[in-house]
Amino acid sequence: MSDALLGEGHTVSYSQTTITELMIPAYANFGGKIHGGTLLSLMDKVAYVCASKHAGNYCVTVSVDNVHFLAPAEVGDLVSLIASVNYVGSSSIVVGIKVIAENVQTATVVHTNTSYFTMVAKGEDGKKAKVPPLILESVEDIRRFAGALRRRRLRSYMTERMVEYKKDFVVDDETRAFLANERCAIRLES
């Protein structure tokens, strides 16, 4: 997409997407609830649609943050996945997804999942493509954008700390004390 076509950007509502699907027995696990993997696949699908519409390009998933399974979805439920662009970088787009399950017989609606998918736009050459800016029109839009930016910075900080932790890791008295009340047993060969 050329810079001229990027223009001033798109609003959140421009690419907001909802997909609704009936949960069938083939989606259920041995406990009779809908597989988490089925829900993740649907979340990936709605994230793709939302991000691609905003970007005007093909988008790929690069990370999934904070998948919270709050309540189970059941066979027979209508599951709706509501996706909105929360943040854009130069080629990345963070899509926030809310999943709700509706039992049409009892008219109950349950919020089952929340997640954040980071997508990257790809051009026809397969390389990263620049995405339009996000036009923030409400306090909620601003809160979501700022929240996504904070999650991004925290993830970067934690990644750096974990690299240092792994590099310098030793099993010493401090490590043993840290693990003392956990459900593990250390049995190192001398």
Side-chain angles (χ1 to χ4, degrees):
M1 184 177 282
S2 72
D3 285 345
L5 292 175
L6 291 172
E8 73 172 59
H10 298 303
T11 62
V12 172
S13 62
Y14 173 80
S15 59
Q16 194 167 46
T17 303
T18 300
I19 293 176
T20 301
E21 187 161 336
L22 173 66
M23 296 296 102
I24 61 174
Y27 296 169
N29 61 26
F30 291 114
K33 309 298 182 195
I34 301 305
H35 281 287
T38 298
L39 293 172
L40 284 169
S41 176
L42 291 169
M43 286 186 258
D44 191 50
K45 185 187 300 185
V46 76
Y48 168 79
V49 172
C50 183
S52 293
K53 185 166 184 185
H54 180 86
N57 275 311
Y58 176 71
C59 291
V60 296
T61 306
V62 294
S63 73
V64 180
D65 291 336
N66 302 326
V67 180
H68 297 285
F69 290 91
L70 307 170
E74 310 276 346
V75 171
D77 285 350
L78 290 179
V79 169
S80 295
L81 302 99
I82 305 147
S84 299
V85 173
N86 287 359
Y87 171 86
V88 298
S90 62
S91 63
S92 64
I93 299 172
V94 175
V95 177
I97 301 168
K98 179 179 182 179
V99 182
I100 59 170
E102 178 182 2
N103 181 316
V104 293
Q105 294 174 327
T106 64
T108 54
V109 176
V110 178
H111 178 192
T112 63
N113 300 78
T114 298
S115 187
Y116 303 97
F117 278 60
T118 301
M119 313 294 286
V120 168
K122 298 286 189 166
E124 290 180 15
D125 59 1
K127 295 182 180 172
K128 290 181 182 180
K130 194 169 184 179
V131 299
L134 187 61
I135 299 169
L136 308 174
E137 298 181 302
S138 69
V139 172
E140 184 71 7
D141 291 350
I142 297 166
R143 183 192 63 77
R144 288 178 176 174
F145 192 96
L149 184 57
R150 288 183 186 279
R151 278 190 306 279
R152 180 182 179 146
R153 290 180 179 170
L154 283 169
R155 185 175 53 251
S156 177
Y157 174 80
M158 287 304 300
T159 299
E160 290 170 11
R161 298 296 78 72
M162 290 308 294
V163 166
E164 290 174 18
Y165 171 76
K166 289 179 196 177
K167 181 180 66 167
D168 300 332
F169 184 79
V170 294
V171 180
D172 55 13
D173 290 340
E174 183 180 336
T175 303
R176 290 176 189 279
F178 181 69
L179 298 175
N181 295 318
E182 298 299 322
R183 294 188 47 82
C184 64
I186 298 173
R187 293 186 183 151
L188 294 175
E189 294 181 20
S190 298

